[in-house]
Amino acid sequence: MRRSHWWVLSLAGLLLAFALRVYRLGDQNVWWDEGFTVWLARQPFLEMTLGTARDTHPPLYYWLLWPWIRLVGDGEFAARYLSAMLGVLTVAVIGAAGRRLDGIPTGLLALWLMGLSRFHIWWSQEIRMYALATLGVALALETALRAQRAPDGWRNWILWALAATAALFSVYLNLFALIPISLGFWLTIPRRLWPRWALAHGMVMIPFALWLAVALPRMATWSAAAQPPSFPQVLRLGLVLWTVGISTYPERWIGLALMLLAGMVVGLAFRFGGTWAELRHRLQHPAWLMLGGGLLFQLLMVWWITQPRSFLYTPRLEARYFIPSLPFFVLLLAWSVGGLFRKIHRRPLVIGLAVGFAFIAARTLPDYYMARHWEADPVLLPYLIHVYARPGDGVILVSGDRFPTFLYYYERGDPAGPRPPVYLVPRGASPVRADTVEAELRDIAARHPRLWLARVESHFQDPEGLVERWLEARFHRSLTFSFRHNALILFSVSPQTPAVPKENLSRLSWIHPLQDPQGILIGYDQIGRIFRPGESIRSGLYLRASPSISWTLRWVHESKEVIARQAISIPDGSGVFRYSAELPITPYTPSGSYTLEIERNGERVARIEGFQVEQTLSPPQPAEIPHRMSARLGDGIRFLGYRLRGTHEGNPPVAYPGSTILLDLYWEAEKPIERSYVVFTHLIGEAFNPATGNPVWAQDDQVPLEGAYPTTHWIPGRPLRDRYELSLPPSMPPGEYILEIGMYLLETGERLPVSGDGADPAARRILLSRIRVLPKR
């Protein structure tokens, strides 16, 4: 390959690697580990360094992040950009290491393999130290190969010592990556250079030992491993991560991983072919000693650290523990097949492997990027404190060790203004108890006339809601904001609904002004633009008190269809109030862009655009309903038909004990439904079921779409498909059974009246079909 071609292809690979690592970089909320990293990096430098000594990682990444966020900011994109650049640099170093190992084809292949690796892209988009850890291992490999080829120069030894030191100060797990590199190094250099080898290692171990002297006394001994993994489980997860880059359900991907691994084995077989003397010579190649030994040793060490021990910490098996071994795998794969490119008749194998890896990337990367999604609620919850904050306020945060994600957005929400102090409750590691809640809150309540209670994953530390009950007994509940299983509540000594302070309106960057000739509608806030099922579009409207005026909100789809209407209720009082305009996004909310139209006394006064809904379901078409029916439940719910799966052909359909029947029900609302109903699906027999004490032998009762689409959220005129699973007991006697459905109120158990096809008005049920259960085959 010509040198010009090498540089063009290398540059193209690096540009692609850069694009893949910055694409949608900021399109995901900061999660717990990232929040903790930024929280620690926000501390003074010395305090941060001592904090890392108590953590499970060395300080080098924090030392880089500390000036970085002060220079460019700590937003999701800005803070992650450091890891992305470290990832691109790793791709370049891997290419150089491959070229130094076995020439241009191997280097080019290694560069592209690392550049397209979903596993490496993943950790190059996290505010964590794993991109740096991978770079440290890659640099240690490249400088080791450099020094192995020219061992007489001191410069190469110094470079290796610096690279190894950087690797060790990235993550402690890198120690196990350096051991096989060092051994391979030692076995392939002349004996006269062993003192130089020892001196280089001394340059690495002395600063690391000094750091351990600071860190070890501060480290805690704890265990997070519920069930220690076996070595085959570790091996399977490692193979899938190195090749496919997916950590969930690795058993689904192991076949694809083994196919790529088989290509590596074929390449190794060609390299190790020949006489016994030639084989012995090839086995002494530094690539086999460093790369093959490194992979195996890393797997063993990952398995070992997840086994119960009596010192330091025992983590559960996590994908990130395999990232330091990725350079070993990529270089071994590139080295095993790169040399075949020189043989014309073997090039199809190399091309096939390259196409296979590119196919894996094309197959898995779109799903990875699609999963990256920025939600508004984690930002909106702490932001609302800044909207209403007054001098003297305090914030009680009940979240246990999950406080970093809250503080990340809380400290960014109003950087210019005064922030109410945050009190972490409970102060210790133990959950709140009835006999400790008074001691936790008494002094805090005495210092503040208003207290915000932020419940963020509070079920871990206050499952009984003791903090909320204590505050409610002593303060008035002035405001309540619900965010699925989280909540924000303002407790105040005054029973009045609080107004928004004027100084807050002019300071907060999320608030946008609106031009209203009457000066009543002042502005709005809009946090988040893209929404998915399970979320809610929430836009705050800022209005001056005017209870006599009638306000109406309309959520309008891009098709001009009005999806929802709301009437604004403004409390009595003076000042500016915030009204939350909300649109829950259900699985069947139409995808596309939305506009919020604001009407006053029947006239439109404002439009707010820029809301986008994605990844929702299209309504089912009548042609896809195998068994059409026309029935009604209550006032406004139509039953359109059903589909059976898991049964065998027959009249009636046939099923067997121990099997599962899948039942798809098709519904449509004729008008908005005011109550949330539970759908019941029963398989009724003539004999009583001893397990239930009634003739029900199989059932699946649930709020539609497993709770994701309650009837109160159904959009009139838009059909939906709803699935239920009926598991037949293995002891179920043969015979004919009746499949019935219906709806009832969970609070009372009262069923909705029914009419139409299959209706049994007396029992308030709809009969779908008979099912014949035959003896086990």
Side-chain angles (χ1 to χ4, degrees), residues 118 122 235-262 329 356-368:
R118 169 176 162 153
W122 169 9
L235 177 61
R236 180 180 63 185
L237 180 58
L239 290 176
V240 171
L241 288 172
W242 294 329
T243 53
V244 184
I246 297 177
S247 60
T248 55
Y249 304 108
E251 61 277 2
R252 298 180 180 177
W253 302 95
I254 189 63
L256 198 59
L258 290 175
M259 289 176 60
L260 192 62
L261 190 66
F329 177 81
F357 197 86
F359 168 78
I360 292 174
R363 171 68 177 82
T364 60
L365 280 176
D367 292 338
Y368 165 76

Side-chain angles (χ1 to χ4, degrees), residues 381-449:
L381 189 151
Y383 164 78
L384 288 171
I385 299 175
H386 300 304
V387 170
Y388 289 94
R390 294 178 181 174
D393 284 5
V395 180
I396 296 175
L397 176 60
V398 182
S399 66
D401 61 359
R402 282 146 181 82
F403 69 90
T405 52
F406 174 89
L407 292 180
Y408 174 81
Y409 291 111
Y410 179 74
E411 294 178 2
R412 294 186 64 233
D414 185 14
R419 291 192 294 263
V422 177
Y423 302 94
L424 303 183
V425 174
R427 284 167 285 185
S430 301
V432 177
R433 303 193 311 270
D435 59 336
T436 63
V437 65
E438 175 78 19
E440 291 276 4
L441 301 177
R442 182 179 57 245
D443 293 341
I444 300 174
R447 290 194 290 267
H448 303 281

